[in-house]
Amino acid sequence: MEFLGTTQLASYCGTKKSCLFPDLAPTTTTKDTYQSYYLPGYRYLSSWRPSLLHKVVSVPPTSDKPFNPTGRPPTILPSSRSTLHARYSTRDWHHANMVQLKGSEASRHCAGRLNADSMRLMQDKDQLTYQMQEDSRRNLGERISNIDFWRSELIYELECLLKETQALETAKKRLECAADEMQGPLKITLECLYHREKRKGIDLVHDDVEKNLIKEVDVFKDCQEILTKLAQKISQQLHINRDAQHALEQDLSDKNSAHFIDEKCFNLRNTSDSINFYHGVEKADGTVSVPTTWAKFSEDNIRCSQHARANSVKLREDAEVGLESTSEEMWNHFISTNLAFNNRIAEVATAKNKLQAQLAKV
């Protein structure tokens, strides 16, 4: 049997030799159990621990030696320690240390590579984040510039439209006032016709005065109708102007809100306060247009306002022309009617004088 604690993997172990106990008969030798012996300090180094076998030899009862009920070999005396071999060889010891060193070196190398990869990944992501932030900042700057341009265009067009609307309202008031003021001359003309109907006999003649008075009434009514129609057209145009004004104001309000939001986003930094992270906000698409349709919307509003202003200018010119033409026409008829009255009065006075002279002779 082997010595207690010897390893079969050591190079210096030879064939089995009986040192303390003689070889027993084959009939008296029994194999009991084999269990590994763990050296203190190397309990978990199973990768390089040698396999140690322990074989218990039962002593036959016929032997002259005392019976050992525990089945263990007798205690080795200190005098026989020199004959025992070590449990591990120097080669095993160096091998275990080398395995520990290599394992530690491999772990340290892997940890170093992992740290280097982590640092490189952090630097790459930091650089990518910085580049994306710069791109977003540049895009926001361009967006703010576009919003400022269209906002200035909307403000200018809105001011022009308000001025034109105010001028058109003034023209409408002038037309309505002129139409109302025609009621006085028209009543006077009708009163003249009414009084001339009181003439008697042959004096109830259809003379130039009556013709001019009737024509003057028609002119007054025609001029009044023309001015009223112009005022109605101006009222319709004022509604169109207000619609265009409302569209411009709404668009301008949206531009102001967008400018405020984009400017706030443009001024945000990584060190800004009250920065929160909203999950899934990048997946929400709340836009209703693209830059092309967005610019076209403002352009259409401005074009509609310009068209409304052009129509307003044309209506104001028509109102001015209508006022001048009606005023001139009424003034001409007023002069012609007065001349007819003067001629008729002179003619009637002459006839009356002749009649009085003839009456005196009679």
Side-chain angles (χ1 to χ4, degrees):
M1 62 179 293
E2 293 87 353
F3 296 118
L4 182 62
T6 58
T7 175
Q8 294 181 354
L9 298 179
S11 61
Y12 45 78
C13 292
T15 59
K16 295 182 180 181
K17 295 181 180 180
S18 60
C19 297
L20 298 179
F21 304 100
D23 296 334
L24 300 178
T27 57
T28 60
T29 303
T30 60
K31 296 182 180 180
D32 190 7
T33 57
Y34 298 91
Q35 61 181 359
S36 301
Y37 181 80
Y38 296 94
L39 186 64
Y42 296 95
R43 180 171 297 177
Y44 300 99
L45 300 177
S46 59
S47 61
W48 59 273
R49 185 180 66 245
S51 60
L52 303 179
L53 302 177
H54 175 72
K55 181 167 62 178
V56 180
V57 181
S58 61
V59 180
T62 58
S63 176
D64 297 334
K65 297 180 181 180
F67 176 72
N68 189 0
T70 60
R72 295 179 180 178
T75 304
I76 301 174
L77 298 177
S79 60
S80 61
R81 285 181 180 177
S82 61
T83 61
L84 293 176
H85 297 283
R87 291 182 178 88
Y88 300 97
S89 65
T90 306
R91 180 180 178 183
D92 293 337
W93 182 77
H94 286 293
H95 179 68
N97 291 334
M98 187 62 65
V99 169
Q100 289 287 346
L101 292 175
K102 288 184 178 180
S104 176
E105 185 70 20
S107 298
R108 187 178 62 81
H109 182 66
C110 291
R113 293 181 59 185
L114 183 60
N115 288 332
D117 292 341
S118 300
M119 292 299 297
R120 185 171 59 254
L121 181 61
M122 290 173 60
Q123 292 176 359
D124 293 342
K125 293 302 180 182
D126 184 69
Q127 185 178 2
L128 180 61
T129 303
Y130 177 78
Q131 184 177 359
M132 293 178 65
Q133 286 180 346
E134 288 298 322
D135 293 341
S136 300
R137 182 179 176 84
R138 184 176 61 255
N139 293 333
L140 283 172
E142 294 177 357
R143 185 64 176 173
I144 290 174
S145 299
N146 293 334
I147 293 176
D148 287 336
F149 170 76
W150 285 110
R151 189 173 64 169
S152 62
E153 292 292 326
L154 290 172
I155 291 174
Y156 175 77
E157 184 61 32
L158 182 60
E159 291 177 354
C160 294
L161 182 62
L162 290 175
K163 291 180 180 179
E164 185 61 35
T165 301
Q166 187 176 2
L168 194 62
E169 288 178 351
T170 304
K172 178 185 175 183
K173 291 179 180 179
R174 290 181 61 191
L175 290 174
E176 292 177 348
C177 183
D180 292 337
E181 289 178 352
M182 286 183 184
Q183 289 296 115
L186 181 59
K187 288 181 180 180
I188 293 174
T189 305
L190 293 175
E191 190 73 17
C192 291
L193 290 174
Y194 174 74
H195 285 293
R196 283 178 62 84
E197 290 295 326
K198 295 179 181 180
R199 293 175 296 171
K200 297 179 180 180
I202 195 64
D203 288 331
L204 192 63
V205 64
H206 185 66
D207 53 1
D208 293 338
V209 176
E210 189 173 357
K211 293 179 181 178
N212 287 329
L213 287 174
I214 293 173
K215 189 175 182 180
E216 189 175 356
V217 170
D218 294 336
V219 168
F220 282 154
K221 289 183 178 180
D222 291 341
C223 292
Q224 195 174 22
E225 185 179 359
I226 290 172
L227 296 180
T228 304
K229 288 183 178 179
L230 284 174
Q232 292 177 356
K233 289 182 180 179
I234 289 176
S235 298
Q236 295 176 358
Q237 187 61 41
L238 286 174
H239 287 296
I240 296 174
N241 290 1
R242 291 190 183 96
D243 292 339
Q245 177 183 349
H246 176 71
L248 291 176
E249 289 176 349
Q250 185 65 35
D251 195 2
L252 183 60
S253 177
D254 296 339
K255 293 293 186 296
N256 290 330
S257 300
H259 185 271
F260 174 77
I261 294 172
D262 288 343
E263 189 174 9
K264 185 176 181 180
C265 295
F266 182 78
N267 293 326
L268 283 177
R269 299 293 184 272
N270 294 330
T271 57
S272 300
D273 297 334
S274 302
I275 296 179
N276 298 324
F277 182 77
Y278 301 95
H279 294 279
V281 70
E282 71 279 359
K283 298 180 181 178
D285 187 9
T287 58
V288 296
S289 64
V290 295
T292 304
T293 57
W294 173 79
K296 187 177 183 298
F297 179 77
S298 298
E299 187 177 357
D300 292 341
N301 289 333
I302 293 174
R303 186 179 292 109
C304 180
S305 176
Q306 290 176 351
H307 183 67
R309 285 197 297 114
N311 292 336
S312 299
V313 171
K314 187 176 183 301
L315 281 176
R316 284 196 301 111
E317 293 176 354
D318 293 341
E320 293 293 333
V321 172
L323 287 172
E324 292 179 0
S325 61
T326 54
S327 176
E328 184 178 0
E329 188 174 2
M330 286 187 297
W331 181 252
N332 292 333
H333 282 285
F334 174 76
I335 293 174
S336 62
T337 303
N338 287 337
L339 290 176
F341 265 112
N342 291 329
N343 294 332
R344 185 59 179 171
I345 291 171
E347 187 178 359
V348 171
T350 303
K352 179 182 177 182
N353 292 330
K354 288 181 179 181
L355 288 174
Q356 288 179 351
Q358 189 65 31
L359 181 62
K361 289 180 180 181
V362 173

